[in-house]
Amino acid sequence: MTERRAILSGSTFEEQIGYARAVVDGDWVHVSGTTGFDYATMTISDDVVEQAAQCLRNIEAALAEANCTFADVVRVRYLLPDRADFEPCWPVLRGAFGEVRPAATMLTCGLADLRMKIEIEVYARRTAP
């Protein structure tokens, strides 16, 4: 039987909406759309680059709990309400994914909270359980 387990970050959104930060399904790790909130304090910066960096810290924590790193990421989706905010984030995103080169998509769309300027979702494949 394939291992399936939920990873929770402590975000109040997970409880309110009813989802997990990530789901481990066998060798696959599906990390939910992750925003720039610091989930310990439920605060968020006004700066899109800082939000992107916090998204990556949140994702990195979920991946670590699943015994993964950014090196295991095979797919990433960037969701932003304002397409002009994407390019300023490139250096921080390249810092996480520049050597990995996952397949990637950027979409412009509304996010759940007007303070959110970026949301990032990733899929990873574990090399060791």
Side-chain angles (χ1 to χ4, degrees):
M1 177 163 260
T2 301
E3 172 198 12
R4 185 178 191 281
R5 69 179 171 94
I7 294 172
L8 304 176
S9 70
S11 162
T12 58
F13 297 127
E14 293 168 15
E15 180 64 30
Q16 293 168 343
I17 300 169
Y19 69 98
R21 172 65 37 224
V23 173
V24 177
D25 186 13
D27 292 337
W28 290 99
V29 180
H30 307 270
V31 181
S32 294
T34 302
T35 66
F37 272 92
D38 176 331
Y39 295 132
T41 62
M42 288 309 291
T43 58
I44 192 167
S45 171
D46 289 333
D47 180 68
V48 69
V49 176
E50 177 50 39
Q51 284 192 28
Q54 183 63 50
C55 288
L56 294 172
R57 288 189 292 272
N58 295 337
I59 290 167
E60 187 174 38
L63 290 171
E65 193 167 330
N67 297 317
C68 284
T69 68
F70 286 126
D72 298 304
V73 173
V74 297
R75 179 87 171 102
V76 60
R77 282 195 187 94
Y78 304 107
L79 310 165
L80 296 95
D82 183 350
R83 80 175 115 243
D85 281 341
F86 190 47
E87 190 170 350
C89 297
W90 290 358
V92 72
L93 301 175
R94 188 172 46 252
F97 301 116
E99 296 296 318
V100 180
R101 306 282 181 154
T105 301
M106 183 281 221
L107 299 169
T108 302
C109 62
L111 299 177
D113 183 314
L114 293 176
R115 296 173 293 172
M116 297 172 182
K117 296 182 179 185
I118 187 168
E119 185 169 322
I120 303 172
E121 171 188 48
V122 303
Y123 299 92
R125 186 153 186 224
R126 298 189 305 170
T127 54

Short mmCIF file of all heavy atoms in Angstrom, two decimals, residues 5-50:
data_model
loop_
_atom_site.label_atom_id
_atom_site.label_comp_id
_atom_site.label_asym_id
_atom_site.label_seq_id
_atom_site.Cartn_x
_atom_site.Cartn_y
_atom_site.Cartn_z
N ARG A 5 0.06 10.69 3.57
CA ARG A 5 -0.10 11.42 4.83
C ARG A 5 -0.11 12.92 4.57
O ARG A 5 0.48 13.41 3.61
CB ARG A 5 1.00 11.07 5.83
CG ARG A 5 2.37 11.53 5.49
CD ARG A 5 3.40 11.14 6.56
NE ARG A 5 4.74 11.39 6.13
CZ ARG A 5 5.42 12.50 6.40
NH1 ARG A 5 4.89 13.45 7.13
NH2 ARG A 5 6.65 12.65 5.95
N ALA A 6 -0.79 13.62 5.46
CA ALA A 6 -0.90 15.07 5.36
C ALA A 6 0.18 15.73 6.20
O ALA A 6 0.54 15.23 7.27
CB ALA A 6 -2.27 15.52 5.82
N ILE A 7 0.67 16.85 5.72
CA ILE A 7 1.62 17.69 6.45
C ILE A 7 0.92 19.02 6.72
O ILE A 7 0.44 19.66 5.78
CB ILE A 7 2.90 17.90 5.63
CG1 ILE A 7 3.63 16.58 5.47
CG2 ILE A 7 3.79 18.96 6.27
CD1 ILE A 7 4.82 16.63 4.54
N LEU A 8 0.88 19.40 7.97
CA LEU A 8 0.23 20.65 8.37
C LEU A 8 1.29 21.66 8.81
O LEU A 8 2.28 21.29 9.44
CB LEU A 8 -0.76 20.41 9.50
CG LEU A 8 -1.84 19.36 9.21
CD1 LEU A 8 -2.71 19.13 10.44
CD2 LEU A 8 -2.68 19.76 8.01
N SER A 9 1.06 22.94 8.50
CA SER A 9 2.03 23.98 8.86
C SER A 9 1.61 24.77 10.09
O SER A 9 2.40 25.52 10.63
CB SER A 9 2.20 24.96 7.70
OG SER A 9 1.03 25.74 7.54
N GLY A 10 0.35 24.63 10.48
CA GLY A 10 -0.17 25.44 11.58
C GLY A 10 -0.88 26.69 11.10
O GLY A 10 -1.39 27.46 11.90
N SER A 11 -0.94 26.90 9.79
CA SER A 11 -1.67 28.03 9.24
C SER A 11 -3.13 27.94 9.62
O SER A 11 -3.75 26.87 9.52
CB SER A 11 -1.55 28.03 7.71
OG SER A 11 -2.54 28.84 7.11
N THR A 12 -3.71 29.05 10.04
CA THR A 12 -5.14 29.04 10.36
C THR A 12 -5.98 28.77 9.12
O THR A 12 -7.09 28.26 9.23
CB THR A 12 -5.58 30.37 11.01
OG1 THR A 12 -5.28 31.45 10.12
CG2 THR A 12 -4.88 30.60 12.34
N PHE A 13 -5.45 29.08 7.94
CA PHE A 13 -6.18 28.80 6.70
C PHE A 13 -6.44 27.31 6.52
O PHE A 13 -7.50 26.91 6.04
CB PHE A 13 -5.42 29.32 5.48
CG PHE A 13 -5.23 30.81 5.45
CD1 PHE A 13 -3.98 31.35 5.28
CD2 PHE A 13 -6.30 31.67 5.59
CE1 PHE A 13 -3.78 32.72 5.25
CE2 PHE A 13 -6.14 33.05 5.56
CZ PHE A 13 -4.87 33.58 5.39
N GLU A 14 -5.48 26.48 6.89
CA GLU A 14 -5.64 25.03 6.74
C GLU A 14 -6.86 24.54 7.53
O GLU A 14 -7.63 23.72 7.04
CB GLU A 14 -4.39 24.30 7.20
CG GLU A 14 -3.19 24.56 6.32
CD GLU A 14 -1.89 24.07 6.93
OE1 GLU A 14 -1.90 23.30 7.89
OE2 GLU A 14 -0.83 24.51 6.44
N GLU A 15 -7.00 25.03 8.75
CA GLU A 15 -8.13 24.65 9.58
C GLU A 15 -9.42 25.24 9.05
O GLU A 15 -10.44 24.56 8.94
CB GLU A 15 -7.89 25.11 11.04
CG GLU A 15 -9.01 24.76 11.99
CD GLU A 15 -9.20 23.26 12.18
OE1 GLU A 15 -8.23 22.50 12.06
OE2 GLU A 15 -10.36 22.85 12.46
N GLN A 16 -9.41 26.52 8.71
CA GLN A 16 -10.62 27.22 8.27
C GLN A 16 -11.16 26.69 6.95
O GLN A 16 -12.37 26.57 6.77
CB GLN A 16 -10.36 28.72 8.14
CG GLN A 16 -10.10 29.39 9.46
CD GLN A 16 -9.55 30.80 9.30
OE1 GLN A 16 -9.07 31.20 8.23
NE2 GLN A 16 -9.59 31.57 10.38
N ILE A 17 -10.26 26.35 6.03
CA ILE A 17 -10.67 25.93 4.69
C ILE A 17 -10.76 24.41 4.58
O ILE A 17 -11.58 23.88 3.85
CB ILE A 17 -9.73 26.52 3.62
CG1 ILE A 17 -9.78 28.05 3.69
CG2 ILE A 17 -10.10 26.03 2.23
CD1 ILE A 17 -8.70 28.75 2.88
N GLY A 18 -9.91 23.70 5.33
CA GLY A 18 -9.95 22.24 5.32
C GLY A 18 -9.00 21.61 4.33
O GLY A 18 -9.41 20.84 3.46
N TYR A 19 -7.72 21.95 4.42
CA TYR A 19 -6.73 21.36 3.54
C TYR A 19 -5.42 21.18 4.30
O TYR A 19 -5.28 21.64 5.42
CB TYR A 19 -6.50 22.22 2.28
CG TYR A 19 -5.81 23.54 2.54
CD1 TYR A 19 -4.44 23.66 2.34
CD2 TYR A 19 -6.51 24.64 2.98
CE1 TYR A 19 -3.79 24.86 2.58
CE2 TYR A 19 -5.88 25.85 3.22
CZ TYR A 19 -4.52 25.96 3.02
OH TYR A 19 -3.89 27.14 3.25
N ALA A 20 -4.46 20.52 3.67
CA ALA A 20 -3.13 20.32 4.25
C ALA A 20 -2.12 21.16 3.48
O ALA A 20 -2.29 21.40 2.28
CB ALA A 20 -2.73 18.85 4.17
N ARG A 21 -1.06 21.58 4.15
CA ARG A 21 0.01 22.30 3.47
C ARG A 21 0.61 21.43 2.38
O ARG A 21 0.96 21.90 1.30
CB ARG A 21 1.11 22.69 4.49
CG ARG A 21 2.35 23.28 3.91
CD ARG A 21 2.14 24.64 3.21
NE ARG A 21 1.18 25.44 3.90
CZ ARG A 21 0.19 26.14 3.29
NH1 ARG A 21 0.08 26.15 1.98
NH2 ARG A 21 -0.67 26.84 3.98
N ALA A 22 0.73 20.14 2.66
CA ALA A 22 1.26 19.21 1.66
C ALA A 22 0.68 17.83 1.91
O ALA A 22 0.23 17.52 3.02
CB ALA A 22 2.79 19.15 1.74
N VAL A 23 0.70 17.03 0.87
CA VAL A 23 0.29 15.63 0.98
C VAL A 23 1.40 14.78 0.37
O VAL A 23 1.83 15.03 -0.76
CB VAL A 23 -1.05 15.36 0.25
CG1 VAL A 23 -1.36 13.88 0.23
CG2 VAL A 23 -2.18 16.15 0.89
N VAL A 24 1.85 13.83 1.16
CA VAL A 24 2.83 12.85 0.67
C VAL A 24 2.02 11.66 0.18
O VAL A 24 1.20 11.10 0.91
CB VAL A 24 3.79 12.40 1.79
CG1 VAL A 24 4.74 11.32 1.28
CG2 VAL A 24 4.55 13.59 2.35
N ASP A 25 2.23 11.27 -1.07
CA ASP A 25 1.54 10.13 -1.66
C ASP A 25 2.59 9.26 -2.32
O ASP A 25 3.00 9.51 -3.46
CB ASP A 25 0.49 10.62 -2.66
CG ASP A 25 -0.37 9.50 -3.21
OD1 ASP A 25 -0.34 8.39 -2.65
OD2 ASP A 25 -1.09 9.74 -4.19
N GLY A 26 3.07 8.27 -1.57
CA GLY A 26 4.17 7.44 -2.08
C GLY A 26 5.42 8.28 -2.23
O GLY A 26 5.85 8.95 -1.30
N ASP A 27 5.98 8.30 -3.44
CA ASP A 27 7.18 9.09 -3.71
C ASP A 27 6.87 10.55 -4.04
O ASP A 27 7.78 11.36 -4.14
CB ASP A 27 7.96 8.49 -4.89
CG ASP A 27 8.58 7.15 -4.55
OD1 ASP A 27 8.79 6.88 -3.35
OD2 ASP A 27 8.85 6.37 -5.48
N TRP A 28 5.59 10.88 -4.22
CA TRP A 28 5.21 12.23 -4.63
C TRP A 28 4.83 13.08 -3.44
O TRP A 28 4.16 12.63 -2.52
CB TRP A 28 4.05 12.17 -5.62
CG TRP A 28 4.51 11.63 -6.94
CD1 TRP A 28 4.36 10.35 -7.39
CD2 TRP A 28 5.23 12.33 -7.94
NE1 TRP A 28 4.95 10.23 -8.62
CE2 TRP A 28 5.48 11.43 -8.98
CE3 TRP A 28 5.67 13.65 -8.06
CZ2 TRP A 28 6.17 11.81 -10.13
CZ3 TRP A 28 6.35 14.01 -9.21
CH2 TRP A 28 6.59 13.09 -10.23
N VAL A 29 5.23 14.34 -3.50
CA VAL A 29 4.87 15.33 -2.49
C VAL A 29 4.20 16.49 -3.22
O VAL A 29 4.79 17.12 -4.10
CB VAL A 29 6.11 15.84 -1.72
CG1 VAL A 29 5.70 16.86 -0.67
CG2 VAL A 29 6.84 14.67 -1.08
N HIS A 30 2.95 16.74 -2.84
CA HIS A 30 2.15 17.81 -3.44
C HIS A 30 2.04 18.92 -2.40
O HIS A 30 1.39 18.73 -1.36
CB HIS A 30 0.75 17.30 -3.80
CG HIS A 30 0.77 16.07 -4.65
ND1 HIS A 30 0.79 16.13 -6.02
CD2 HIS A 30 0.79 14.75 -4.32
CE1 HIS A 30 0.81 14.89 -6.50
NE2 HIS A 30 0.82 14.04 -5.49
N VAL A 31 2.68 20.05 -2.67
CA VAL A 31 2.63 21.17 -1.73
C VAL A 31 1.58 22.15 -2.23
O VAL A 31 1.65 22.64 -3.36
CB VAL A 31 4.00 21.87 -1.58
CG1 VAL A 31 3.90 23.01 -0.57
CG2 VAL A 31 5.06 20.87 -1.14
N SER A 32 0.61 22.43 -1.36
CA SER A 32 -0.47 23.35 -1.70
C SER A 32 0.06 24.72 -2.06
O SER A 32 1.18 25.09 -1.68
CB SER A 32 -1.41 23.52 -0.50
OG SER A 32 -2.08 22.33 -0.20
N GLY A 33 -0.77 25.50 -2.74
CA GLY A 33 -0.44 26.89 -2.98
C GLY A 33 -0.08 27.53 -1.65
O GLY A 33 -0.85 27.46 -0.70
N THR A 34 1.10 28.09 -1.58
CA THR A 34 1.67 28.60 -0.33
C THR A 34 1.92 30.09 -0.48
O THR A 34 2.56 30.52 -1.44
CB THR A 34 2.97 27.84 -0.02
OG1 THR A 34 2.67 26.44 0.06
CG2 THR A 34 3.58 28.29 1.28
N THR A 35 1.43 30.86 0.48
CA THR A 35 1.54 32.31 0.40
C THR A 35 2.68 32.82 1.27
O THR A 35 3.37 32.05 1.93
CB THR A 35 0.22 32.98 0.83
OG1 THR A 35 0.00 32.71 2.21
CG2 THR A 35 -0.95 32.47 -0.01
N GLY A 36 2.82 34.13 1.29
CA GLY A 36 3.89 34.77 2.03
C GLY A 36 3.59 35.03 3.49
O GLY A 36 4.30 35.80 4.14
N PHE A 37 2.55 34.41 4.03
CA PHE A 37 2.27 34.55 5.46
C PHE A 37 3.33 33.81 6.26
O PHE A 37 3.75 32.71 5.89
CB PHE A 37 0.90 33.97 5.82
CG PHE A 37 -0.23 34.93 5.69
CD1 PHE A 37 -0.94 35.01 4.50
CD2 PHE A 37 -0.59 35.76 6.74
CE1 PHE A 37 -2.00 35.90 4.37
CE2 PHE A 37 -1.64 36.65 6.62
CZ PHE A 37 -2.35 36.73 5.43
N ASP A 38 3.74 34.41 7.34
CA ASP A 38 4.53 33.71 8.36
C ASP A 38 3.48 32.97 9.18
O ASP A 38 2.70 33.59 9.91
CB ASP A 38 5.30 34.70 9.21
CG ASP A 38 6.06 34.05 10.34
OD1 ASP A 38 5.63 32.98 10.84
OD2 ASP A 38 7.08 34.61 10.74
N TYR A 39 3.40 31.67 9.05
CA TYR A 39 2.30 30.91 9.65
C TYR A 39 2.38 30.86 11.17
O TYR A 39 1.37 30.62 11.83
CB TYR A 39 2.23 29.51 9.05
CG TYR A 39 1.87 29.54 7.57
CD1 TYR A 39 2.59 28.80 6.65
CD2 TYR A 39 0.82 30.32 7.11
CE1 TYR A 39 2.26 28.84 5.30
CE2 TYR A 39 0.49 30.37 5.76
CZ TYR A 39 1.22 29.62 4.86
OH TYR A 39 0.90 29.66 3.53
N ALA A 40 3.54 31.13 11.74
CA ALA A 40 3.65 31.14 13.21
C ALA A 40 2.95 32.37 13.79
O ALA A 40 2.35 32.29 14.86
CB ALA A 40 5.12 31.13 13.62
N THR A 41 3.02 33.49 13.07
CA THR A 41 2.43 34.74 13.58
C THR A 41 1.22 35.19 12.77
O THR A 41 0.55 36.14 13.17
CB THR A 41 3.48 35.87 13.54
OG1 THR A 41 3.88 36.09 12.18
CG2 THR A 41 4.69 35.52 14.40
N MET A 42 0.98 34.53 11.64
CA MET A 42 -0.08 34.90 10.69
C MET A 42 0.02 36.36 10.28
O MET A 42 -0.97 37.07 10.15
CB MET A 42 -1.47 34.55 11.24
CG MET A 42 -1.75 33.04 11.25
SD MET A 42 -1.44 32.20 9.65
CE MET A 42 -2.75 32.87 8.63
N THR A 43 1.28 36.78 10.03
CA THR A 43 1.53 38.12 9.50
C THR A 43 2.09 37.99 8.09
O THR A 43 2.61 36.93 7.71
CB THR A 43 2.54 38.89 10.39
OG1 THR A 43 3.75 38.13 10.47
CG2 THR A 43 1.97 39.12 11.79
N ILE A 44 1.99 39.08 7.32
CA ILE A 44 2.47 39.06 5.94
C ILE A 44 3.07 40.43 5.61
O ILE A 44 2.53 41.46 6.00
CB ILE A 44 1.33 38.68 4.96
CG1 ILE A 44 1.87 38.38 3.56
CG2 ILE A 44 0.22 39.73 4.94
CD1 ILE A 44 0.87 37.70 2.64
N SER A 45 4.19 40.42 4.91
CA SER A 45 4.85 41.64 4.48
C SER A 45 4.05 42.29 3.35
O SER A 45 3.35 41.60 2.60
CB SER A 45 6.26 41.30 3.98
OG SER A 45 6.86 42.43 3.37
N ASP A 46 4.21 43.59 3.18
CA ASP A 46 3.62 44.29 2.04
C ASP A 46 4.46 44.14 0.78
O ASP A 46 4.00 44.43 -0.31
CB ASP A 46 3.46 45.78 2.35
CG ASP A 46 2.37 46.06 3.37
OD1 ASP A 46 1.43 45.26 3.48
OD2 ASP A 46 2.48 47.09 4.06
N ASP A 47 5.71 43.69 0.94
CA ASP A 47 6.66 43.61 -0.16
C ASP A 47 6.57 42.25 -0.87
O ASP A 47 6.70 41.20 -0.23
CB ASP A 47 8.08 43.82 0.38
CG ASP A 47 9.12 43.74 -0.70
OD1 ASP A 47 9.15 44.65 -1.56
OD2 ASP A 47 9.88 42.75 -0.72
N VAL A 48 6.37 42.25 -2.17
CA VAL A 48 6.20 41.00 -2.92
C VAL A 48 7.44 40.12 -2.87
O VAL A 48 7.33 38.89 -2.81
CB VAL A 48 5.75 41.26 -4.38
CG1 VAL A 48 6.86 41.91 -5.19
CG2 VAL A 48 5.27 39.98 -5.04
N VAL A 49 8.64 40.72 -2.88
CA VAL A 49 9.86 39.92 -2.84
C VAL A 49 9.98 39.23 -1.49
O VAL A 49 10.33 38.04 -1.42
CB VAL A 49 11.10 40.76 -3.19
CG1 VAL A 49 12.37 39.94 -3.04
CG2 VAL A 49 10.98 41.32 -4.60
N GLU A 50 9.68 39.94 -0.42
CA GLU A 50 9.70 39.31 0.91
C GLU A 50 8.63 38.24 1.00
O GLU A 50 8.84 37.19 1.60
CB GLU A 50 9.54 40.34 2.02
CG GLU A 50 9.49 39.73 3.41
CD GLU A 50 10.61 38.73 3.75
OE1 GLU A 50 11.76 38.93 3.36
OE2 GLU A 50 10.31 37.71 4.42
#
